[in-house]
Amino acid sequence: MTEGRLSITRAAVIGGGVSGLVAAWELARSGVAVTVWEAEGHWGGAVSALTLGGITADAGAEAIAVGRPAGLQLIEDLGLRGDVLTPRRTDSRIAMADGLRELPPSVLGVPADLDDPRVASLLSAADIERARDEREAVSDSTTTVGAYVRERLGDAVVDRIVDPVIAGVHACAADDADLNTLLPGIGALVDQTRGLVPAAARMRAGLGPSGSAVASLRGGMHRLTAALVDACCATGVDLRHASGISRIQRTDDGWRVTDTTGAVTDVDVVVLAVPPRVAADLLHDDEPQLAASLGAIETTAVRVVSLLIECPDLDEFPAGPGVLVAAERTDVQAKAMTHANAKWEWWDDVLPANRHVVRLSYGRAGQPAPAVEGLVEQAEADAKALLGVTGSWRVIDSAVTTWQESLVRPTPGHAQRMRDLTDQLHGLPDLTVLNSALAGNGLAGIIQLAREEATRVVTSRPSGHSPQRTGESAVPLARISAHSDRSGEAP
Ligand SMILES: Cc1cc2nc3c(=O)[nH]c(=O)nc-3n(C[C@H](O)[C@H](O)[C@H](O)COP(=O)(O)OP(=O)(O)OC[C@H]3O[C@@H](n4cnc5c(N)ncnc54)[C@H](O)[C@@H]3O)c2cc1C
């Protein structure tokens, strides 16, 4: 936390996901009295745990990007550095209509080397020739990743590689994904490197193979949440779970927050660490313009089915650590699958012989999440098809987890809209909003934003408070996801 003049004494953090917990810890370490309200009966939001056959596992997020320092720095600050693991396998696959193909080194599916044999297994010779013959002129009106890559490298690169990666990671079609959000500054880099493929190679340099630029914690990413809860407790944060906030109102000297039981608490500053629609509803009366901007953000509902299986066919990890499913693969409903114990070595310590954990994610942009009823059976069928299982298969345990609004869909114009939203927000010294729309879909980004914004609200609110807007923000504008932490990383 940056040193600053402490001008607030009480803060309400609404939402006990990672962003809310990080902000609460930062504020408490600055001497602010903090209360966190979390609607669910557990902490962590998208970074929470479930029990599968008696083993505690990740329900949602299972990795963190290492390309941005913020994630690993937090892990270090929480004393978990010794438990950081990198994936033991990075040879992810794309499921095409005619079988699995290994994902070549890429950025968001844009190949970093057209001579790589993995590219030849995905694209025809004619497709590769088209990609080599990169077109210089791209119209200024190109606003999506799909359109940009189509114009430069041809349709096949988008349909067979870029689209499955973006659908799997951002729950968004490539042709609907904002170029400036997912590949900010790409035009300048392409000019410098004289092509999109060399630009992808430059971006990948130092990151190692696709899928290797992430890490996790021994035992699962949910340990981050547990450590944050412990750190909050140790700094005196008042943590209230199963306790949602239904209303916030401005008062003469701050805010009044009302929980779902009707209990009210008065504070100087509010941190809204909830999905954008929830923040929009809460701000509707007092900050209608901000509420309208937040309400316009699109999210995709995601369901993850976790399966604990006994299946000797899987002992050799036939599909590597994970599979992204191309739209042409119509016999499979899942958009991505992770073979958890193929990816993370810590599972070896807790899984008996022949047992495996696979996680399948469902939910396509613009569509409601598939019904829970029958989804485990669908996931079994999808997993068997993707893994090529012919022998014995027994499901020991299963779990379905739903996130209605945790994954933000970066539709065209998203980056500009988020810059405007950040400008509006930075005019308000006693309020901050934390979500994946502002930070990018990914943990490292949301952690960085939470820390920056906690600093801003501590230092920017004048003593002897008046709730008027300030002209300048105390910290630079929140960074709009330098292509999100999750981009380019296969499951
Ligand atoms: C299935 C899934 C897998 C993911 N995998 C990865 C991954 O592997 N790596 C990665 O970097 N990122 C991943 N992400 C993205 C990452 O997890 C999120 O960007 C990040 O966790 C968002 O944190 P958050 O605290 O902003 O939001 P959330 O985690 O959504 O937390 C918001 C919290 O607010 C609470 N809330 C809502 N309304 C109220 C209310 N009225 N009052 C009080 N509380 C309320 C919710 O219950 C929730 O706990 C994944 C996301 C999902 C959904």
Side-chain angles (χ1 to χ4, degrees):
M1 167 65 72
T2 309
E3 293 289 321
R5 183 167 54 97
L6 189 62
S7 56
I8 61 173
T9 56
R10 298 156 304 165
V13 175
I14 303 172
V18 163
S19 67
L21 293 171
V22 169
W25 187 41
E26 290 296 337
L27 289 166
R29 289 202 295 169
S30 301
V32 178
V34 186
T35 304
V36 185
W37 284 267
E38 164 55 48
E40 297 290 333
H42 60 84
W43 297 102
V47 190
S48 53
L50 53 73
T51 307
L52 208 54
I55 303 169
T56 306
D58 286 319
E62 42 103 40
I64 192 162
V66 294
R68 269 188 187 186
L72 286 183
Q73 184 61 54
L74 178 71
I75 285 171
E76 171 124 28
D77 295 347
L78 291 167
L80 294 173
R81 194 70 174 87
D83 290 331
V84 171
L85 292 178
T86 49
R88 66 172 159 194
R89 300 257 314 241
T90 56
D91 52 330
S92 296
R93 311 289 199 276
I94 300 182
M96 310 303 299
D98 55 354
L100 300 186
R101 303 278 184 278
E102 204 174 318
L103 182 68
S106 68
V107 171
L108 273 184
V110 175
D113 177 8
L114 291 172
D115 292 324
D116 189 291
R118 286 164 287 192
V119 174
S121 82
L122 276 157
L123 302 180
S124 70
D127 294 336
I128 294 175
E129 271 325 296
R130 166 66 186 86
R132 280 191 212 289
D133 183 25
E134 182 169 341
R135 280 176 42 179
E136 292 284 322
V138 169
S139 68
D140 289 344
S141 60
T142 303
T143 57
T144 68
V145 177
Y148 186 76
V149 181
R150 279 182 202 286
E151 284 194 44
R152 287 200 159 256
L153 305 180
D155 291 337
V157 174
V158 176
D159 296 336
R160 296 180 67 84
I161 321 181
V162 174
D163 196 59
V165 171
I166 294 183
V169 175
H170 294 280
C172 190
D175 289 323
D176 201 25
D178 186 39
L179 182 66
N180 289 328
T181 301
L182 298 187
L183 292 171
I186 191 66
L189 187 60
V190 164
D191 286 348
Q192 244 180 53
T193 56
R194 296 171 187 278
L196 183 52
V197 172
R202 172 86 66 89
M203 288 163 86
R204 275 234 69 87
L207 288 180
S210 281
S212 67
V214 294
S216 190
L217 293 170
R218 182 173 296 283
M221 216 48 233
H222 58 272
R223 289 188 56 214
L224 182 74
T225 295
L228 278 168
V229 168
D230 288 348
C232 283
C233 287
T235 43
V237 175
D238 179 2
L239 290 168
R240 303 182 188 181
H241 67 304
S243 179
I245 292 298
S246 55
R247 188 167 188 209
I248 65 172
Q249 298 156 273
R250 278 199 185 281
T251 59
D252 287 344
D253 57 356
W255 294 90
R256 171 162 293 179
V257 304
T258 307
D259 72 18
T260 44
T261 69
V264 299
T265 307
D266 291 326
V267 294
D268 304 311
V269 156
V270 165
V271 176
L272 279 174
V274 289
R277 187 200 46 79
V278 180
D281 289 349
L282 291 171
L283 289 170
H284 182 266
D285 292 340
D286 284 310
E287 293 292 341
Q289 205 191 336
L290 198 56
S293 306
L294 286 161
I297 293 167
E298 293 183 48
T299 54
T300 301
V302 179
R303 287 213 155 104
V304 175
V305 181
S306 302
L307 300 174
L308 172 63
I309 310 151
E310 192 164 81
C311 179
D313 279 4
L314 301 188
D315 290 351
E316 301 298 322
F317 307 143
V323 181
L324 297 159
V325 182
E328 67 171 48
R329 184 69 192 259
T330 50
D331 63 316
V332 169
Q333 302 298 310
K335 64 188 174 70
M337 183 192 75
T338 303
H339 190 158
N341 55 306
K343 186 167 182 179
W344 304 112
E345 157 253 303
W346 67 265
W347 277 103
D348 293 352
D349 303 337
V350 290
L351 282 178
N354 305 144
R355 294 222 175 156
H356 296 269
V357 173
V358 293
R359 291 159 34 106
L360 296 104
S361 51
Y362 293 83
R364 300 258 175 200
Q367 295 171 14
V372 173
E373 198 175 310
L375 196 56
V376 170
E377 291 72 21
Q378 179 66 52
E380 277 195 64
D382 288 349
K384 281 184 183 174
L386 292 171
L387 292 157
V389 173
T390 52
S392 79
W393 163 282
R394 185 165 71 96
V395 174
I396 311 283
D397 199 2
S398 63
V400 179
T401 318
T402 305
W403 286 271
Q404 286 297 352
E405 310 182 276
S406 286
L407 217 52
V408 166
R409 191 143 62 95
T411 51
H414 180 84
Q416 185 56 50
R417 288 195 296 276
M418 292 310 103
R419 272 193 289 274
D420 295 345
L421 206 158
T422 304
D423 282 346
Q424 286 176 55
L425 204 52
H426 282 181
L428 300 169
D430 58 358
L431 174 70
T432 186
V433 174
L434 307 174
N435 59 47
S436 304
L438 288 157
N441 279 324
L443 280 171
I446 199 80
I447 288 167
Q448 180 175 338
L449 181 65
R451 287 191 134 169
E452 288 176 353
E453 284 292 283
T455 302
R456 180 180 72 83
V457 294
V458 163
T459 54
S460 71
R461 188 174 183 274
S463 305
H465 168 68
S466 64
Q468 77 273 14
R469 286 154 167 74
T470 56
E472 290 279 310
S473 57
V475 293
L477 289 187
R479 264 172 283 291
I480 307 300
S481 94
H483 74 83
S484 143
D485 308 325
R486 306 189 67 211
S487 65
E489 295 304 323

